[in-house]
Amino acid sequence: CLRCRRRPPAGFMSCINVVREKMKFPSTMDYSMWGSNTERGPSGGMSVYLSFTAKNSLGADLPYRAYCIIDDLGVTLQSVKPR
């Protein structure tokens, strides 16, 4: 439940927004802070690992993990893979 949680840090929100832009059914995305994390890189950039579920075209809720990089150039979605 998105309304039930506190708002995640800005890095997570940036990654969430990029992932949503790439999804077929963005309104079905439900992210979780459990299993998600960030790492600071040596150059000051940030890596974001995001766990979420989303429905496929058949209505099944499937688990995924996204990986984004945030740096001076913006947010880059590196991958989205099934968990």
Side-chain angles (χ1 to χ4, degrees):
C1 165
L2 294 176
R3 294 181 303 273
C4 301
R5 294 181 230 136
R6 291 184 347 193
R7 189 161 181 86
F12 282 104
M13 286 309 299
S14 298
C15 187
I16 288 166
N17 291 335
V18 170
V19 170
R20 276 196 175 128
E21 289 174 6
K22 304 290 183 186
M23 294 178 61
K24 289 182 182 178
F25 307 103
S27 65
T28 68
M29 180 184 189
D30 189 18
Y31 59 87
S32 171
M33 296 307 288
W34 294 104
S36 298
N37 65 326
T38 61
E39 295 176 357
R40 284 273 179 205
S43 62
M46 180 187 295
S47 296
V48 177
Y49 299 89
L50 176 67
S51 294
F52 68 96
T53 61
K55 291 189 178 184
N56 65 10
S57 58
L58 299 176
D61 224 7
L62 302 175
Y64 294 95
R65 186 155 168 95
Y67 170 51
C68 299
I69 294 178
I70 303 172
D71 58 18
D72 295 340
L73 301 174
V75 183
T76 306
L77 178 61
Q78 296 293 312
S79 66
V80 175
K81 297 179 179 180
R83 277 190 276 155

